[in-house]
Amino acid sequence: MTTSEKRLTTKSLQDSLRRMGECFYPARIRVVETAKRLGASDRVDAVAEVAWNKSTFAFAVQTRVQFNPKAIQEAAQQATRLAKQLKANPMIVTPFLSEEQLRFLESQQVSGIDLCGNGVILVPNRLLIYRTGNPNKYPSSSPIRNVYRGASSLVARTFLLRAEYETSQKLLDEIRTRRGDVTLSTISKACSSLEDDLIIERQRKGRTTRLRLLQAEKLLNSLADNYEAPVIRQKFIGKCDLDDQAFEAIARDWSQETQERVVRTGSSSSEHYATMAREPIRCYYCTDATGILKRLGNSARETERFPNFQVLETDDPIVFFDVRDSVDASPLQAFLELNAGDKRERETAEQIRQRLLKDVGIPKRSP
């Protein structure tokens, strides 16, 4: 946790609610009671009143220090249930609410207020106040800073190859089969973040935990929104006299001998996954550009005049994950690269998106 998050507790959120006052003008917020018990096991964190235009509305308030999608969904459900017992309106208070979370709360007819000045206060058919746009002052304490980037994103990407895994070890085996390299610890942390984002669920049965994809489209969107192009250490652009088949035969032999890697870029591989005019320049990622060019000898020469061949040296493991037919990038890598391109490339990316969603499917819930 960050220092700011360590200080946040249910009590500190209740205290913040007390100080809200007219922060959501024209409404006024007043805490009537804290920690009200509704039975042997049920308790609301606070009962509040919201006054507006000579009317006063009662709210049952639930607080949450964590504000990932799963925590917000659970808090909203609990607030709704307890509000019915109090014959009040449901509300949650948390450190930060994104615009997406505010829209979710509004759709559930649950009010939500954060400590950054964002919120929605609603009483069906009577009151609606909506505030958004204030930045998050409480950065995530996730064990992995961004599960959709870097080596940890291999875990997320693998759920788009198969939607369900019996154990974390099975998921690890799949990643390694596709030439990825992560640890079981990384898988555990990544899956925890994916579960918090409501993208997967973990079904615990005895000593094993089944992993199941819930929202393929949300996962794909998250990978696209967080995509970063690989860091290129060296670039070669020129002409190659060999056709694709001849070059790739040499590349495969060289790769087997040296344990270096070579793969088409996602954009250059897209013709295998969508209808798109062939690019005039064949582009490849490679872990050792000097080595592959030395193997090609006089058949490749550097020039910027009518080039047809490009080699980009990188050690980013993502681009070499799930290589198809020895040299083609995965359809997911092709989608991500094209989706970050121009209008024509994004239109091609949409074709690959539909293919990815169709291929993964979503299995029925296990009994």
Side-chain angles (χ1 to χ4, degrees):
M1 279 191 174
T2 63
T3 302
S4 58
E5 282 184 304
K6 287 179 180 178
R7 293 196 296 266
L8 289 174
T9 62
T10 295
K11 184 178 184 304
S12 65
L13 289 172
Q14 291 170 342
D15 292 340
S16 296
L17 180 63
R18 285 194 187 93
R19 296 191 294 270
M20 291 281 180
E22 297 186 0
C23 289
F24 280 81
Y25 183 84
R28 298 186 305 279
I29 302 172
R30 183 173 73 91
V31 174
V32 177
E33 189 175 356
T34 58
K36 181 179 178 64
R37 289 197 170 277
L38 302 180
S41 58
D42 285 340
R43 187 190 74 171
V44 293
D45 293 329
V47 177
E49 288 183 347
V50 173
W52 174 78
N53 195 25
K54 299 183 180 180
S55 296
T56 301
F57 308 98
F59 285 83
V61 181
Q62 291 299 110
T63 60
R64 282 293 186 280
V65 173
Q66 296 295 322
F67 50 91
N68 57 65
K70 182 181 179 182
I72 296 303
Q73 182 185 73
E74 290 176 348
Q77 292 172 345
Q78 187 175 18
T80 299
R81 180 174 60 82
L82 297 177
K84 289 180 179 178
Q85 296 183 45
L86 283 175
K87 296 183 179 180
N89 300 284
M91 175 184 287
I92 68 170
V93 176
T94 193
F96 177 71
L97 290 167
S98 67
E99 188 168 355
E100 180 182 1
Q101 289 170 329
L102 289 172
R103 289 197 300 268
F104 165 74
L105 291 173
E106 185 180 4
S107 72
Q108 301 299 305
Q109 295 191 330
V110 176
S111 297
I113 296 173
D114 70 17
L115 305 187
C116 302
N118 305 299
V120 57
I121 300 178
L122 64 90
V123 177
N125 302 316
R126 300 289 302 278
L127 175 65
L128 175 61
I129 301 173
Y130 198 99
R131 301 276 175 82
T132 188
N134 292 310
N136 181 10
K137 299 177 182 177
Y138 303 89
S140 172
S141 61
S142 170
I144 295 180
R145 185 172 295 275
N146 192 329
V147 74
Y148 306 106
R149 287 181 185 164
S152 62
S153 72
L154 294 179
V155 179
R157 289 177 177 227
T158 306
F159 278 102
L160 290 170
L161 297 170
R162 188 151 60 90
E164 190 167 0
Y165 296 90
E166 294 178 0
T167 64
S168 294
Q169 183 62 52
K170 294 288 187 182
L171 176 57
L172 177 61
D173 292 343
E174 183 75 28
I175 292 172
R176 288 176 173 171
T177 297
R178 308 277 178 165
R179 299 192 70 181
D181 185 19
V182 297
T183 64
L184 280 172
S185 174
T186 297
I187 286 178
S188 176
K189 293 174 183 177
C191 286
S192 176
S193 294
L194 291 170
E195 184 180 37
D196 286 344
D197 286 347
L198 299 176
I199 285 176
I200 71 166
E201 68 174 352
R202 295 190 287 184
Q203 298 174 321
R204 296 168 180 82
K205 292 185 178 180
R207 296 184 177 181
T208 63
T209 301
R210 182 182 294 271
L211 309 169
R212 178 176 177 270
L213 178 64
L214 295 176
Q215 299 190 71
E217 189 164 8
K218 182 177 180 180
L219 173 55
L220 194 56
N221 290 341
S222 296
L223 287 167
D225 290 343
N226 290 277
Y227 175 71
E228 291 183 333
V231 175
I232 304 303
R233 300 183 303 202
Q234 182 179 344
K235 181 185 295 186
F236 170 91
I237 185 166
K239 286 188 177 183
C240 182
D241 297 330
L242 304 175
D243 61 19
D244 290 357
Q245 187 174 3
F247 166 76
E248 290 168 6
I250 291 174
R252 281 192 293 268
D253 291 342
W254 172 77
S255 181
Q256 291 173 0
E257 291 175 16
T258 63
Q259 301 305 305
E260 299 289 351
R261 295 188 179 189
V262 58
V263 62
R264 285 177 185 257
T265 64
S267 298
S268 284
S269 301
S270 60
E271 61 186 297
H272 297 283
Y273 311 122
T275 302
M276 182 179 181
R278 184 182 178 91
E279 295 290 339
I281 300 179
R282 293 175 291 162
C283 297
Y284 295 85
Y285 294 124
C286 180
T287 52
D288 180 9
T290 301
I292 187 65
L293 292 170
K294 183 177 180 180
R295 177 62 65 91
L296 291 172
N298 294 331
S299 60
R301 56 195 178 280
E302 190 168 13
T303 178
E304 294 186 1
R305 184 174 175 81
F306 305 115
N308 67 354
F309 180 70
Q310 186 176 47
V311 176
L312 306 172
E313 183 179 287
T314 180
D315 58 2
D316 191 330
I318 299 303
V319 301
F320 303 104
F321 180 66
D322 190 27
V323 173
R324 307 292 175 92
D325 297 328
S326 299
V327 293
D328 290 326
S330 69
L332 177 56
Q333 184 65 28
F335 163 75
L336 294 172
E337 289 185 23
L338 292 171
N339 188 69
D342 59 27
K343 182 176 183 293
R344 181 179 65 90
E345 290 173 318
R346 291 194 300 273
E347 289 172 352
T348 304
E350 185 58 30
Q351 296 179 48
I352 304 176
R353 170 197 286 273
Q354 297 306 318
R355 169 179 172 155
L356 288 166
L357 295 175
K358 179 180 179 181
D359 287 350
V360 68
I362 299 293
K364 293 182 179 179
R365 183 182 296 271
S366 301

